[in-house]
Amino acid sequence: MTVRTRFAPSPTGYMHIGGMRTALFNWLFARKHGGQFILRIDDTDQERNVASALQPILQAFRWLGLNWDEGPDVNGPHAPYFQGHRNHLYRAAADRLIAEGKAYRCFDPPEQIQADRDAATKDGGQYLNIRRSCDLTPTQIEENLAAGKPWVLRFLIPRDRKIELEDAIRGHVEWNAGLMSDPVIMRANGSPLYNFATVVDDSQMQITHVIRAEEHLSNTAVQILLHEALGHVPPIFAHIPYVAAPGSKEKLSKRKLEQYRKNPQFKILFDIADKIFPRIGLSNQGGLDPVMVEYYEKVGFIPAGLLNALARLGWSLDDQTELMSLDFITQNFSLERVVKGPAGFDPEKLLSYQAHWMNQLSADERTAGCLPYLQQAGLVPQQPSAVEHAKVRAVVAALNERIKIFSDVLTYDYFFKDVIEVSEKDFTKIFAKAGIRELLTECVPVLTNLSDWTVVSLEAAIKAFCESKGVGGGTLNQALRISTTGSPIGPGVFDCLELVGKEKSLERINAALAKLK
RNA sequence: GGCCCGUUCGUCUAGUGGAAGGAUAUCGGACUUUCGAUCCGAGUGCGCGGGUUCGAUUCCCGCACGGGCUGCCA
């Protein structure tokens, strides 16, 4: 039997990072077993514009390179893949359940149900449906229907049953059906509810493995019963732990964003956004935050980094292996090695994976990734000349492992600006050293007379100069750096000089000296 | 309230009835050219209380904490 897994997102307008992890596990399992991965859109409760709310979700999959075999845009043999368009299937299944006495039209108004519930639980009791509508005769039901009396369809829970599940991750779990109330499976307007639609669809789409977050574990009891009532063999279920907020065991939620801003670990990511988004013209952070997959794409993460981090959130290969490519993970993924406890999302770890995979990229790939940030920040033209492009490439190469995410290149904007911002604190500190100002002054003619403005020549010339003055070869370096870049951090100082260029370097050094007088 | 799931360094995790391993973060050192780069080193942990046992992080029970379901949400 071919393995078939699915991910069923609601078109919410963004892709949740935790949902992405669930989707990844489904994708990995399908790929590992040579099966199919299906994307099904859960729009049963949506009034909004499904198409536009879906785009960011599809884009997240595309960006990460997680392709789907059936679903939106690609379709497939079990179309349509939008639950909103599958009503005929739910209707048919519902009719069968009614005909077989396994579901009933419940004419009790919501207020009545609520009153029943209150009465039952008032003294700490257990609520179960009173099932008044089950006592109606066929004639009475016809009369109610003819009179247009509103109803919902409820699944008749077989209360004498024990439900057993062999979960692929959690092992044996069981429930007593006698404690479960009859779930509504279809609304008054004929639209299906989640537990029902998912059962009908999973069966019709021949899903073999339902891999989903553990918040669905309790739903599984109803779903198993529904599968049985409809004559299906239930799929294999695998409930993976939820993704928690950094440093906590609380489920990661978009509703707690303000709280996350104060979270010391999460703060790293918010800080990146605060720093980058205004510079690339996204006001109000572009409506993006670190709970959304789009955020990572926009600030310049690469898929390999995020993918590695997500895969390790609740799954491990062994006691050693941390750095894994998607191909490697695919070959080695197994549900047996998914952990049971919740996995806290860890931005620090994500950044370290990201750094590793960024370093695997070629200079050209990194240049291509950094270029858009420089362009959006107005530091490089939209149509760069060959010279401008080469400059970007040279800067990116010199920056080397200092670039962890593509937008980091903006930290070193002094290579592209006409007027640099000088870190006054560092400037003052560096020039406070006795004799430095004089030394730099005397160094100017040496630099001016240097015809070959390259790292090698610069290093040789400056070292020779320092030695001629009887000071160590590195004495001037910090002063040169702060004068020409304005910043205490960056590539090697001779790289900086070469990249800034002779004319601009001298100009900036003279400006610094002028400021010291 | 009822039912179900979970709990190993700050964090992600490995693992075992007999001295708890890796990664990341942190701290310290090195690189006599910086650094948020790189290299090296160090410290840090089995939620609590019972029980079984010669011995429990590992098995059992209870508790606490976290999560979920108990919805005409998914």
Side-chain angles (χ1 to χ4, degrees):
Chain A
M1 185 167 61
T2 310
V3 165
R4 287 170 63 83
T5 64
R6 49 69 165 179
F7 182 67
S10 286
T12 51
Y14 70 95
M15 186 65 215
H16 191 284
I17 192 83
M20 200 73 241
R21 194 275 235 119
T22 302
L24 173 63
F25 281 21
N26 275 281
W27 185 93
L28 287 168
F29 190 75
R31 293 289 170 259
K32 154 91 187 198
H33 297 283
Q36 285 113 39
F37 172 65
I38 290 103
L39 217 46
R40 179 174 79 215
I41 309 307
D42 232 317
D43 57 350
T44 54
D45 193 41
Q46 306 295 324
E47 298 295 329
R48 71 187 94 190
N49 186 335
V50 173
S52 68
L54 184 58
Q55 285 319 305
I57 293 168
L58 300 184
Q59 172 56 24
F61 278 84
R62 292 194 183 104
W63 176 56
L64 292 175
L66 304 180
N67 59 324
W68 55 100
D69 301 295
E70 297 170 31
D73 297 350
V74 301
N75 277 314
H78 305 279
Y81 292 90
F82 289 79
Q83 292 188 319
H85 298 159
R86 296 171 61 82
N87 258 94
H88 56 288
L89 292 167
Y90 311 131
R91 204 68 77 112
D95 287 345
R96 266 175 55 208
L97 291 177
I98 295 170
E100 293 170 20
K102 293 171 178 171
Y104 62 97
R105 295 183 179 88
C106 174
F107 293 98
D108 291 346
E111 308 79 56
Q112 174 77 65
I113 298 290
Q114 189 54 48
D116 290 347
R117 197 189 315 277
D118 292 345
T121 56
K122 188 179 52 160
D123 304 313
Q126 177 71 25
Y127 168 73
L128 280 181
N129 297 262
I130 296 178
R131 295 178 170 171
R132 294 182 189 82
S133 298
C134 289
D135 297 331
L136 265 30
T137 64
T139 315
Q140 287 174 307
I141 292 173
E142 285 309 319
E143 283 169 7
N144 280 346
L145 292 174
K149 194 168 177 186
W151 54 275
V152 294
L153 190 63
R154 283 185 191 275
F155 179 58
L156 192 65
I157 294 281
R159 290 181 182 163
D160 55 347
R161 282 283 311 277
K162 185 167 90 170
I163 305 154
E164 298 190 67
L165 164 70
E166 293 304 325
D167 189 277
I169 292 167
R170 273 144 223 281
H172 185 85
V173 182
E174 60 181 50
W175 297 267
N176 175 2
L179 265 22
M180 294 162 56
S181 54
D182 300 337
V184 172
I185 57 177
M186 206 166 249
R187 295 188 183 85
N189 67 7
S191 64
L193 273 91
Y194 168 75
N195 275 136
F196 187 52
T198 205
V199 163
V200 171
D201 291 340
D202 286 342
S203 171
Q204 191 265 350
M205 293 181 178
Q206 297 177 37
I207 302 303
T208 58
H209 295 74
V210 172
I211 302 168
R212 69 212 326 186
E214 67 171 290
E215 52 254 42
H216 290 292
L217 186 57
S218 297
N219 288 325
T220 309
V222 173
Q223 292 180 20
I224 287 173
L225 251 20
L226 277 167
H227 271 119
E228 290 178 2
L230 288 164
H232 308 153
V233 176
I236 292 167
F237 291 97
H239 288 92
I240 66 179
Y242 63 91
V243 175
S248 82
K249 294 293 181 198
E250 289 182 29
K251 196 167 76 142
L252 184 62
S253 163
K254 204 153 182 327
R255 283 189 287 275
K256 296 183 184 164
L257 275 176
E258 281 318 304
Q259 188 179 319
Y260 296 157
R261 284 195 155 269
K262 294 177 216 128
N263 177 318
Q265 292 168 72
F266 230 146
K267 193 172 181 301
I268 305 170
L269 296 176
F270 282 103
D271 288 349
I272 291 172
D274 290 341
K275 190 178 75 181
I276 300 306
F277 287 148
R279 300 199 59 183
I280 60 173
L282 283 179
S283 60
N284 194 24
Q285 317 219 323
L288 300 174
D289 63 66
V291 174
M292 304 155 73
V293 176
E294 301 89 293
Y295 160 90
Y296 299 91
E297 181 183 5
K298 282 288 189 325
V299 300
F301 277 77
I302 58 173
L306 226 210
L307 251 7
N308 198 157
L310 290 180
R312 286 286 290 100
L313 221 49
W315 177 83
S316 68
L317 176 59
D318 53 32
D319 61 334
Q320 297 284 319
T321 317
E322 293 279 342
L323 301 167
M324 294 176 270
S325 68
L326 186 59
D327 280 349
F328 183 86
I329 296 165
T330 304
Q331 284 162 28
N332 291 283
F333 186 76
S334 75
L335 293 174
E336 290 74 52
R337 296 200 60 84
V338 173
V339 301
K340 296 185 181 73
F345 179 60
D346 185 350
E348 288 169 346
K349 195 97 189 208
L350 165 64
L351 249 6
S352 93
Y353 286 123
Q354 169 66 26
H356 171 82
W357 291 107
M358 181 63 86
N359 292 153
Q360 307 301 306
L361 259 41
S362 69
D364 282 335
E365 288 170 318
R366 269 182 293 154
T367 303
C370 289
L371 183 60
Y373 290 93
L374 294 168
Q375 292 171 319
Q376 286 160 38
L379 297 165
V380 170
Q382 285 303 317
Q383 304 290 332
S385 65
V387 172
E388 286 162 333
H389 194 275
K391 168 88 177 276
V392 174
R393 195 179 189 288
V395 167
V396 170
L399 254 13
N400 201 338
E401 301 189 1
R402 268 163 268 257
I403 292 183
K404 307 252 188 242
I405 60 178
F406 289 133
S407 61
D408 282 341
V409 74
L410 294 179
T411 304
Y412 311 94
D413 57 1
Y414 46 71
F415 289 122
F416 302 95
K417 283 182 162 173
D418 285 330
V419 182
I420 53 171
E421 289 159 34
V422 178
S423 165
E424 295 304 331
K425 197 184 93 199
D426 295 295
F427 185 90
T428 308
K429 194 173 107 195
I430 287 162
F431 281 104
K433 210 169 159 190
I436 286 294
R437 179 165 69 98
E438 292 70 19
L439 208 53
L440 186 61
T441 308
E442 291 175 51
C443 179
V444 170
V446 175
L447 292 174
T448 307
N449 293 329
L450 191 69
S451 55
D452 181 33
W453 194 266
T454 61
V455 173
V456 176
S457 302
L458 283 161
E459 179 163 9
I462 289 171
K463 277 196 172 153
F465 168 75
C466 286
E467 277 157 28
S468 76
K469 292 291 167 187
V471 297
T475 313
L476 258 184
N477 291 344
Q478 281 291 70
L480 284 167
R481 173 187 298 284
I482 195 78
S483 307
T484 55
T485 71
S487 165
I489 64 167
V493 68
F494 305 114
D495 285 283
C496 288
L497 287 169
E498 182 184 321
L499 288 165
V500 169
K502 182 174 181 178
E503 191 187 335
K504 226 173 248 179
S505 293
L506 286 166
E507 200 177 281
R508 289 176 184 180
I509 290 167
N510 284 323
L513 289 170
K515 204 163 96 174
L516 286 164
K517 281 175 183 158

